[in-house]
Amino acid sequence: MTSPISTPAPSTTTHAHTRTADEAASQQWWRDAVVYQVYPRSFADADGDGMGDLPGVTAHLPYLRDLGVDAIWLSPFYTSPQHDGGYDVADYTDVDPRFGSLADADEMIARAHELGLKVVVDIVPNHSSSDHVLFQQALAAAPGSPERDMYMFAEGRGENGELPPNNWTSIFHGPAWTRITEADGAPGQWYLHIFDTSQPDWNWKNPRVHELMQDVLRFWLDRGADGFRVDVAHGMVKPEGLPDATVNAEGLIDIPEGEVPVYFDNDGVLDIYREWRPILDSYEGDRMMVLEAWIPEHRLPLYIGDEKAHQSFNFGFLQARWGVETMRAAIEKPLALADAVGSPTTWVLSNHDVIRHASRYGFAPDHRFGEGLARDEVPDAELGLRRARAATLLMLSLPGSAYLYQGEELGLPEVSDIPDELREDPAHLRAGVPGRDGCRVPLPWVQDAPAYGFSSTGESWLPQPAEFGPLAVDQQLGVDGSVLEMYRSALHLRRKLQLGVQSEAAGVVFAQTAPDGVLVLDRGDLRVVVNTTSAPVPLAEVTDDQGYEVLLRSVPTGPDGAEQVAADSALWMRLTR
Ligand code: NOJ
């Protein structure tokens, strides 16, 4: 049953952060930017070795400019053995030869700037690669030495130190400690790795670690980086005494709903951002940092602010189930928090760690969003893509910055049939879970080209499925109703209508009443309608008897559908009142 919609004016849920004179004077670009995440291994391969590279990124920057994004964020392209796709950094101030050279990085940054695109680079401060020269030196040095003190080494428990120092487990499954063999061949100390064995955690109690990472920031700021995406931004400082975590009946670390494991979100982490902020502020331009911090919402104000980090990913929207109440809550909460911290929220639906949203929405709502898909987990692909398109239109209508993940603008699905022997995600190798490779398959650019135009030689470090062909850029560009054209239109309209900007006049106002299963929100005279039901809804039921002009639909509609909001779809309309 539907009920008529009423005029939304007296809503109590207006979120209008009034801009101060300072903000108005200097419109900090990141506050309303659309940032496109490039996963360098899988974006474009210029040298034909089957792995993407920086020259490949540079060559395709005009595509991103034309798409309508404001900035790119690149996952790590630094020297790395690639045990965790580059999030295992062996040298923070050099480019891995697979991705090119420092000169290629300079060229990419310069070209992006020429095209008006900002460049955000990744920084990985919680851990390095075990190949890092300082970890190798720590292994070679004696327990208690300054070299060991750069990382989290500890004596084991048990009679002969044969048990790990505590019961922590790795995010990638299995123990979070590995025992080493000392120089004399005897079993020795243990080192902490919250992630893979090849990713030892830095010891942030050591001032030398602080200095090292500050130098890394300066290195990339000097080369023109406009900002940093901070990896595991809530992880660096561990609790005093490294206490055991409480475990549940299955012997796994017990993490109550809404909380984080004991090794995350410790207050010492906050000091790091207070140290970093003046460094960023000492450079011209609005250099920024966005935190990858999976923290309880109420902790966010501790991380974000004028003397702290600029913003943090808001993963609540990504995790929100398809439905009016869930999505509305996932919008209201971060907007209220943004008001509280004085920094706009961020929106994100996909990234290189989660199941692509075109597939995610094709499952029952309680399906997990991480650790990839197994071959026998088959989503309703058509429904998933329809809902993904609608969720994207909803996201792009909201104030704050939005982060897009490469390939979502093509509607790429998660790939579930990658042969196990080709999977590289350490979580797969450690625990046999499908892992995140399925969202990292190289992009299709041209349907009738080797590796769909990803690489001239036809090489591709992960096989691309046949279903990628029709989704290639050349098949969608200029094609009315394609996913790519929906993104391009939405991004251009978002910029034109300044939808990313929080303002008194265009706060988010939810309709007090709307047809069942339909989310209706206004931004000034723009009305956004999301029909989460499986039946079309007449436009007359969501227009309050006002004049309107439909600006954009998430799915094309035939003549029959012109006066409807199609099932599982969204639209933007201008109310003419
Ligand atoms: C978060 C990154 O996004 C993920 O890809 C990586 O595996 C972990 N941090 C560890 O660096």
Side-chain angles (χ1 to χ4, degrees):
M1 268 307 286
T2 59
S3 60
I5 186 171
S6 74
T7 311
S11 169
T12 49
T13 53
T14 304
H15 298 281
H17 168 70
T18 314
R19 287 208 280 151
T20 62
D22 277 349
E23 283 171 22
S26 124
Q27 175 59 56
Q28 296 157 314
W29 65 269
W30 47 269
R31 297 179 80 89
D32 60 344
V34 177
V35 184
Y36 181 100
Q37 180 190 357
V38 171
Y39 192 68
R41 293 166 70 101
S42 305
F43 186 70
D45 172 21
D47 67 6
D49 67 353
M51 192 167 281
D53 46 40
L54 296 183
V57 176
T58 306
H60 290 84
L61 288 172
Y63 163 81
L64 296 177
R65 188 262 325 265
D66 294 346
L67 180 60
V69 302
D70 304 295
I72 57 172
W73 145 41
L74 294 108
S75 285
F77 48 79
Y78 319 115
T79 314
S80 160
Q82 300 288 314
H83 291 309
D84 185 20
Y87 283 95
D88 47 327
V89 182
D91 184 347
Y92 290 81
T93 56
D94 206 352
V95 173
D96 194 282
R98 296 173 185 88
F99 298 131
S101 62
L102 273 177
D104 293 326
D106 290 343
E107 203 177 317
M108 174 198 65
I109 295 172
R111 180 73 179 126
H113 287 166
E114 258 170 43
L115 294 171
L117 296 168
K118 304 282 187 190
V119 179
V120 174
V121 297
D122 224 300
I123 183 163
V124 188
N126 180 69
H127 48 266
S128 71
S129 157
S130 50
D131 283 9
H132 196 290
V133 64
L134 294 178
F135 188 72
Q136 288 302 315
Q137 287 173 5
L139 288 180
S145 61
E147 287 86 352
R148 285 267 164 108
D149 196 39
M150 293 296 284
Y151 290 89
M152 299 289 294
F153 281 90
E155 298 299 331
R157 296 199 284 204
E159 219 167 293
N160 300 304
E162 70 280 11
L163 299 173
N166 66 26
N167 67 355
W168 295 356
T169 49
S170 153
I171 297 293
F172 292 158
H173 306 274
W177 294 92
T178 291
R179 194 172 196 188
I180 64 162
T181 303
E182 300 292 352
D184 63 3
Q189 288 192 302
W190 297 72
Y191 69 89
L192 177 68
H193 50 87
I194 295 299
F195 293 90
D196 188 44
T197 325
S198 63
Q199 294 167 294
D201 282 46
W202 290 105
N203 173 19
W204 277 87
K205 279 171 111 180
N206 186 337
R208 284 173 59 213
V209 171
H210 289 245
E211 283 158 25
L212 181 146
M213 224 46 84
Q214 290 173 11
D215 287 347
V216 173
L217 291 179
R218 290 196 189 91
F219 180 88
W220 290 105
L221 289 167
D222 286 341
R223 299 195 100 87
D226 298 287
F228 298 93
R229 175 267 190 190
V230 185
D231 187 63
V232 201
H234 54 320
M236 291 83 103
V237 177
K238 311 300 182 296
E240 203 52 49
L242 308 178
D244 272 341
T246 43
V247 289
N248 59 24
E250 288 97 60
L252 300 170
I253 290 191
D254 197 24
I255 310 168
E257 179 77 23
E259 292 187 25
V260 293
V262 57
Y263 44 67
F264 284 153
D265 191 28
N266 289 288
D267 281 346
V269 171
L270 305 169
D271 297 335
I272 297 172
Y273 301 115
R274 293 187 185 279
E275 268 171 39
W276 287 8
R277 183 62 185 256
I279 297 176
L280 269 65
D281 287 349
S282 72
Y283 282 78
E284 267 182 26
D286 293 317
R287 314 289 177 111
M288 56 80 86
M289 49 184 155
V290 54
L291 308 184
E292 188 229 8
W294 296 78
I295 50 173
E297 271 164 14
H298 68 270
R299 298 273 302 169
L300 191 70
L302 297 169
Y303 286 76
I304 305 300
D306 284 348
E307 289 161 4
K308 311 175 218 174
H310 299 74
Q311 54 183 189
S312 172
F313 288 130
N314 148 32
F315 292 116
F317 190 64
L318 179 155
Q319 294 174 69
R321 315 233 186 280
W322 180 252
V324 172
E325 290 315 316
T326 42
M327 296 197 298
R328 177 173 170 161
I331 293 170
E332 283 185 313
K333 276 199 215 154
L335 286 180
L337 268 172
D339 279 351
V341 299
S343 175
T345 189
T346 60
W347 307 102
V348 56
L349 283 166
S350 278
N351 64 33
H352 65 293
D353 290 331
V354 299
I355 297 168
R356 281 186 176 278
H357 66 289
S359 297
R360 219 169 56 225
Y361 286 118
F363 287 104
D366 57 350
H367 194 274
R368 68 175 192 292
F369 60 88
E371 304 212 307
L373 289 183
R375 222 172 252 108
D376 58 359
E377 286 178 290
V378 184
D380 179 335
E382 201 188 317
L383 180 67
L385 182 56
R386 269 184 94 83
R387 290 183 170 175
R389 294 173 71 140
T392 298
L393 270 204
L394 174 61
M395 171 172 88
L396 292 177
S397 76
L398 299 172
S401 39
Y403 285 76
L404 308 180
Y405 176 51
Q406 67 178 35
E408 69 171 77
E409 79 279 18
L410 304 175
L412 294 190
E414 183 83 3
V415 180
S416 62
D417 61 355
I418 300 170
D420 279 355
E421 62 279 13
L422 297 181
R423 290 183 185 266
E424 294 196 9
D425 184 347
H428 170 74
L429 301 176
R430 284 168 72 91
V433 296
R436 300 162 294 172
D437 298 295
C439 63
R440 301 173 176 179
V441 174
L443 293 191
W445 293 93
V446 180
Q447 182 170 30
D448 294 321
Y452 298 130
F454 165 67
S455 156
S456 54
T457 57
E459 295 288 316
S460 166
W461 70 278
L462 283 175
Q464 300 157 296
E467 63 190 316
F468 271 28
L471 298 174
V473 173
D474 76 325
Q475 298 301 298
Q476 299 200 45
L477 206 56
V479 175
D480 260 2
S482 69
V483 185
L484 181 56
E485 287 304 329
M486 183 203 86
Y487 269 80
R488 282 160 55 96
S489 302
L491 291 170
H492 285 92
L493 262 177
R494 177 184 159 93
R495 186 177 283 168
K496 187 169 150 209
L497 304 177
Q498 297 204 305
L499 296 179
V501 178
Q502 311 226 37
S503 73
E504 196 93 45
V508 174
V509 180
F510 286 94
Q512 295 285 27
T513 57
D516 286 346
V518 181
L519 182 81
V520 179
L521 68 84
D522 287 350
R523 304 275 327 271
D525 61 5
L526 180 84
R527 175 159 289 188
V528 180
V529 183
V530 185
N531 177 5
T532 69
T533 75
S534 54
V537 169
L539 275 179
E541 291 191 21
V542 291
T543 47
D544 304 332
D545 297 328
Q546 301 180 73
Y548 62 85
E549 178 197 356
V550 175
L551 302 177
L552 189 57
R553 291 177 187 267
S554 64
V555 285
T557 177
D560 293 353
E563 294 305 314
Q564 296 177 336
V565 193
D568 292 305
S569 82
L571 58 77
W572 292 358
M573 58 167 75
R574 193 204 320 272
L575 294 177
T576 49
R577 300 214 156 110

